Amino acid sequence: MTSPTKAEGSGPSVALDPELASTTEADKPKKLEGRSPGQLMWQRFRRDRTGMISAGVVIFFFVVSALAPVISSLYGKNPYTLYAQEPDYPFLLDDFAMPTGTFGGVSGEFWFGVEPKLGRDVFTMLLYGIRNSLYMALVLTTLCVVTGVLIGLVSGYFGGKVDYWLGRVTDFFLSFPNQLFFIAFMPIVTAMFVSPTDETPTYLRVVAIILVMWFLGWMSLARLVRGSVLSLREREFVEAAKVSGASRWRIVRKEILPNVVTPILVQATYTLPSSILNIAFLSFVGVGLVEPTPDWGRMFAIGADTYEQDPAFLLFPGAALVIFILAFNLLGDSVRDAFDPKTGR
Amino acid sequence: MSDNLTLPEQQGATGTSVETLLEVEGLTKHFPIYGGFPIKRKVGAVQAVDGVDLTVGVGESVGLVGESGCGKSTTGRLITRLLEPTGGKISYAGQDITHASRRQLAPVRSEIQMIFQDPYSSLNPRQTVGTIIKSPMEVNGINPEGGREKKVRELLELVGLNPEHYNRFPHEFSGGQRQRIGVARALALNPKLIVADEPVSALDVSIQAQVVNLLQKVQEEMGIAFLFIAHDLAVVRHFSQRVAVMYLGKVVEVGDRDSIYNRPRHPYTHALLSAVPEVAVDDEADDKERIRLAGDVPSPIHPPSGCRFRTRCWKAQDKCASEEPPLIQLSGNREGHLTACHFPEDPTTEPRAEDVVMDPALKALEDGETEEPAAKTAGD
Ligand SMILES: Nc1ncnc2c1ncn2[C@@H]1O[C@H](COP(=O)(O)OP(=O)(O)OP(=O)(O)O)[C@@H](O)[C@H]1O
Ligand code: SF4
Ligand SMILES: [Mg+2]
């Protein structure tokens, strides 16, 4: 939390004495609208070049995945067609089902090359893979944030027994080994919806992935929010609200929540990239999305199979992932610095 | 209840004749202490407030004074019902509000307001000044003529701030200005009683007087009753018509201003008075009695038996340990001047034949150098 005193020191704010204020107010009426903590934060953020660049990269990824259908129709290909079998593109793959062209088959037709074995277009595969991962990660992050904030708020504000039991539940979930749990429970969760002998529709797989990861994704935020609320609850402005007769709900909504937005936002910017990594991990080990749905994580699985013959295939999905995760984490750091100029580093 | 607002003859020196607004009887607050392993259970209690009796008249200003940790804030929070009393009774305008729930309290909620000690934590950093002052009106559904914003601007002007500060945020203000915002917020509901918990202790000395003057103006012009909490007698001197002195969870002496400042009977009041830094306003200033207490306030977990002040009192005798002195009007005291002491001091603040110096180290020091006693101040 930015303490007000700190904010005063770092921002170019003016603090006049009432006596002085009454004499000098006439000549600067334009300055009087005041800057909110949010505006100050935005100013600090804009001065942070790393933050601005990573924000640009992140926005670029979001725009590209939102526009994936448009881009691929302009580009004239899709991620499902096996171009090696199309008569238009002879000799796309050699006898060993590896791309014939240089560098994984990169050409004017296939910007990022051709997939080994099946001969699909890497560019659109990646495009849609990123799109699917991002959407899932967004939904997942939203769910985790909402759950974490709710649980954190309740246990922090109400305290006592409620806090104790919610705390134990949080501890319990924290003690699960994440990745083992994901792998073990994905089939179980899917089986809850469809019988294992039938084919699972893609949307169900998506729901299952999100459910399983949501289950173990909300705890860190709940703890964070609980801690902030615990300290805010004792602040005198909360007591002032109580003295004025405000209900508990109003106090939580108007007095406490606006003050925990900062840590929530910062935490969310860290949660999203880690969700992407987790989703990719699931697909990589084969319990996430399956063929033919394009998926970022599964491209690594394909690449891992053939990297000795066709190392170029891994380059584009790998670089995209590294750039995205890096940019998002840097963005998270910058957001935190902008909110809290005195902490960190 | 609106007929309560008839302004009393405020200057009535004794201040006891006015209609009672707030009455507190035997108010008690014990904070339980939990301990033990593996099963936590109650192992004791902090007796923060232990049987406080207090009345505040309509439009009257009462000072509540005592050392740090003696339970002043707790008393204030009990009266504003931020804390649930362990025992005793609080009645406001004849209505028992001791254990009233939030809903039951609703009709009188707006009439009892509070000003807080720390101007940095008493304003929500994420809200504008306008929102902060407006919130109480929203909560209570009050729609003043001309709208809430107009009222807020009027309040800002009243407390000496620029009405144009409406859209500013708390971090843009100094401590004194913030405290003024806190005052404006308390006034937003047209309260009849304001509990001010050390409203100036966190402020720069030069700003303190300004804020006290503001509160005094508010109190006199709007006829609001004040319970002004302070840790020394200097701050409340010009503000309060009556003063209650607290020690370790109990009121040890209460009376009108004149009685407390000029005819105190309780040894603790004498000690507090002698610690008031006196600006030499009149020639009496220098020839004041000197009392230097030793040691700290005992722990409120295990308060001394009998009179709680006995561990630091220079007049303590066996009776003080066995019998708790009742808060009564001693012979020779004015009406309403109550003291809880078995062996009260003379009602004067004239210097004594010999200074009371309880601190052994300080005593040794003073005996060594007989001259220039003026340079010495209290060992805080
Ligand atoms: N919530 C609480 N839980 C346990 N003990 C408490 C609590 N609040 C106050 N106390 C204890 O009660 C006693 C009185 O505290 P209080 O805050 O009323 O003192 P005070 O007279 O206002 O002191 P100060 O001048 O420092 O503000 C202290 O010993 C304090 O430790
Ligand atoms: S009762 Fe005894 S110990 Fe208490 S103040 Fe009076 S003389 Fe001192
Ligand atoms: Mg206090």
Side-chain angles (χ1 to χ4, degrees):
Chain A
M1 244 357 49
T2 311
S3 110
T5 17
K6 288 176 184 170
E8 205 166 29
S10 55
S13 55
V14 272
L16 295 167
D17 252 343
E19 282 64 31
L20 295 174
S22 49
T23 57
T24 49
E25 77 209 20
D27 49 7
K28 50 190 200 65
K30 59 184 188 306
K31 279 196 74 182
L32 283 179
E33 80 278 10
R35 272 184 301 266
S36 72
Q39 283 165 313
L40 285 176
M41 178 247 142
W42 175 235
Q43 276 184 349
R44 275 195 293 269
F45 185 74
R46 269 205 322 218
R47 263 181 265 132
D48 183 346
R49 189 162 321 146
T50 323
M52 287 305 277
I53 292 173
S54 17
V57 172
V58 167
I59 289 171
F60 171 77
F61 269 87
F62 276 98
V63 168
V64 161
S65 43
L67 295 180
V70 180
I71 295 174
S72 63
S73 82
L74 287 178
Y75 174 65
K77 300 206 172 52
N78 65 56
Y80 301 101
T81 314
L82 309 179
Y83 290 100
Q85 296 167 14
E86 297 283 304
D88 296 354
Y89 302 102
F91 313 118
L92 217 46
L93 299 179
D94 61 18
D95 295 343
F96 303 100
M98 290 299 138
T100 44
T102 50
F103 206 64
V106 173
S107 65
E109 284 289 346
F110 298 93
W111 293 357
F112 286 2
V114 183
E115 184 204 12
K117 289 184 183 161
L118 294 180
R120 289 178 293 188
D121 172 50
V122 177
F123 179 67
T124 44
M125 276 174 85
L126 184 58
L127 205 58
Y128 277 90
I130 291 176
R131 177 183 162 97
N132 291 339
S133 297
L134 263 189
Y135 283 3
M136 279 161 72
L138 268 182
V139 173
L140 180 63
T141 307
T142 316
L143 283 175
C144 289
V145 166
V146 170
T147 320
V149 168
L150 265 182
I151 290 180
L153 271 183
V154 168
S155 63
Y157 188 70
F158 290 91
K161 282 230 158 56
V162 179
D163 183 28
Y164 178 83
W165 286 112
L166 284 178
R168 296 297 78 75
V169 171
T170 312
D171 289 344
F172 175 72
F173 279 106
L174 270 176
S175 66
F176 275 95
N178 274 8
Q179 305 193 321
L180 282 182
F181 176 86
F182 294 153
I183 298 171
F185 273 75
M186 266 306 293
I188 298 177
V189 175
T190 359
M192 287 190 328
F193 297 106
V194 238
S195 107
T197 49
D198 294 348
E199 198 191 337
T200 317
T202 307
Y203 81 90
L204 256 183
R205 286 197 167 270
V206 171
V207 169
I209 292 173
I210 290 177
L211 274 184
V212 166
M213 302 207 357
W214 176 27
F215 199 65
L216 290 188
W218 52 269
M219 290 86 67
S220 59
L221 198 72
R223 290 210 151 172
L224 190 89
V225 172
R226 173 184 172 270
S228 315
V229 173
L230 268 186
S231 73
L232 282 169
R233 190 174 71 150
E234 306 296 327
R235 299 278 286 275
E236 284 176 346
F237 64 79
V238 173
E239 297 201 315
K242 277 188 200 158
V243 168
S244 77
S247 63
R248 280 177 161 186
W249 174 230
R250 186 189 159 95
I251 291 175
V252 167
R253 211 162 29 100
K254 296 252 168 154
E255 309 286 339
I256 292 184
L257 205 52
N259 282 290
V260 288
V261 165
T262 316
I264 293 173
L265 212 71
V266 172
Q267 185 68 24
T269 53
Y270 290 126
T271 310
L272 195 114
S274 82
S275 310
I276 294 221
L277 284 181
N278 275 333
I279 292 171
F281 166 78
L282 283 191
S283 303
F284 182 81
V285 297
V287 290
L289 291 178
V290 291
E291 298 288 3
T293 319
D295 184 89
W296 211 348
R298 221 188 37 253
M299 294 183 79
F300 292 100
I302 300 169
D305 268 352
T306 56
Y307 76 95
E308 281 172 349
Q309 297 91 335
D310 181 18
F313 176 77
L314 262 183
L315 180 73
F316 293 103
L321 192 69
V322 168
I323 291 171
F324 180 77
I325 302 290
L326 188 68
F328 225 109
N329 279 321
L330 288 177
L331 176 70
D333 286 347
S334 298
V335 170
R336 196 203 54 213
D337 288 349
F339 275 124
D340 249 346
K342 298 282 158 76
T343 57
R345 280 217 252 264
Chain B
M1 245 169 275
S2 54
D3 53 341
N4 280 339
L5 208 61
T6 45
L7 275 181
E9 339 60 293
Q10 280 193 20
Q11 281 10 296
T14 50
T16 46
S17 53
V18 294
E19 199 184 329
T20 307
L21 181 67
L22 175 83
E23 189 166 10
V24 171
E25 280 170 45
L27 189 64
T28 306
K29 178 70 192 180
H30 292 181
F31 294 105
I33 305 167
Y34 295 100
F37 184 83
I39 299 157
K40 288 235 163 69
R41 66 208 139 77
K42 197 180 155 197
V43 293
V46 182
Q47 303 176 18
V49 175
D50 202 20
V52 161
D53 300 318
L54 199 68
T55 58
V56 180
V58 174
E60 188 186 32
S61 58
V62 176
L64 184 63
V65 175
E67 271 168 294
S68 188
C70 71
K72 308 178 300 288
S73 297
T74 309
T75 310
R77 286 183 153 80
L78 286 168
I79 291 171
T80 50
R81 290 302 321 283
L82 283 169
L83 291 172
E84 191 69 22
T86 314
K89 187 175 171 215
I90 307 169
S91 44
Y92 173 81
Q95 193 184 340
D96 186 350
I97 58 165
T98 319
H99 298 290
S101 69
R102 196 177 70 83
R103 261 172 232 288
Q104 290 166 324
L105 213 53
V108 294
R109 229 330 155 209
S110 59
E111 299 183 10
I112 310 175
Q113 287 298 302
M114 190 154 179
I115 297 170
F116 293 89
Q117 173 170 359
D118 180 1
Y120 288 92
S121 93
S122 64
L123 305 179
N124 191 336
R126 303 261 159 208
Q127 292 179 348
T128 61
V129 172
T131 313
I132 289 172
I133 303 178
K134 200 167 56 179
S135 292
M137 290 191 262
E138 280 173 14
V139 168
N140 290 278
I142 293 172
N143 284 304
E145 252 178 90
R148 290 181 184 139
E149 181 162 346
K150 178 160 168 276
K151 170 90 180 181
V152 171
R153 288 179 195 273
E154 284 168 12
L155 284 168
L156 282 174
E157 196 144 22
L158 179 76
V159 298
L161 291 173
N162 187 337
E164 298 302 315
H165 289 161
Y166 187 86
N167 282 322
R168 289 217 185 175
F169 284 84
H171 66 87
E172 299 175 73
F173 294 90
S174 67
Q177 288 176 312
R178 283 156 170 260
Q179 206 56 309
R180 287 168 194 264
I181 297 170
V183 174
R185 170 174 60 192
L187 293 177
L189 293 173
N190 295 321
K192 292 183 183 151
L193 171 67
I194 291 182
V195 175
D197 185 4
E198 306 201 29
V200 296
S201 301
L203 303 180
D204 204 83
V205 182
S206 58
I207 311 289
Q208 283 188 356
Q210 292 174 10
V211 175
V212 170
N213 287 343
L214 167 70
L215 292 176
Q216 194 153 19
K217 187 182 95 178
V218 163
Q219 195 257 331
E220 280 166 5
E221 288 177 8
M222 306 175 79
I224 299 172
F226 262 83
L227 182 66
F228 192 109
I229 298 172
H231 60 250
D232 65 56
L233 279 163
V235 176
V236 294
R237 171 151 213 169
H238 303 286
F239 187 82
S240 305
Q241 292 150 359
R242 280 199 307 129
V243 177
V245 179
M246 247 183 116
Y247 186 78
L248 210 55
K250 279 190 188 306
V251 171
V252 293
E253 186 158 30
V254 56
D256 55 279
R257 176 171 58 200
D258 188 44
S259 298
I260 295 292
Y261 283 89
N262 297 323
R263 280 183 286 282
R265 303 300 299 274
H266 199 280
Y268 183 57
T269 315
H270 278 260
L272 274 185
L273 271 177
S274 84
V276 171
E278 196 93 22
V279 188
V281 210
D282 38 30
D283 29 327
E284 291 170 44
D286 333 78
D287 47 359
K288 226 177 42 169
E289 58 179 339
R290 290 181 66 240
I291 301 166
R292 300 290 174 262
L293 292 179
D296 289 326
V297 186
S299 153
I301 302 169
H302 303 290
S305 65
C307 175
R308 294 189 168 190
F309 187 54
R310 74 180 161 82
T311 53
R312 299 165 82 195
C313 181
W314 55 95
K315 298 189 85 177
Q317 297 180 25
D318 292 346
K319 190 184 178 190
C320 304
S322 55
E323 238 179 88
E324 192 176 325
L327 187 64
I328 47 165
Q329 184 180 345
L330 301 171
S331 62
N333 280 4
R334 284 201 204 149
E335 198 191 320
H337 179 186
L338 312 177
T339 310
C341 179
H342 293 305
F343 311 102
E345 288 279 344
D346 295 334
T348 171
T349 54
E350 296 292 300
R352 301 151 188 274
E354 193 176 341
D355 289 340
V356 178
V357 180
M358 299 292 287
D359 190 336
L362 193 60
K363 191 170 179 70
L365 203 67
E366 297 224 335
D367 288 348
E369 38 168 284
T370 38
E371 234 39 67
E372 20 168 341
K376 220 131 267 141
T377 41
D380 285 5

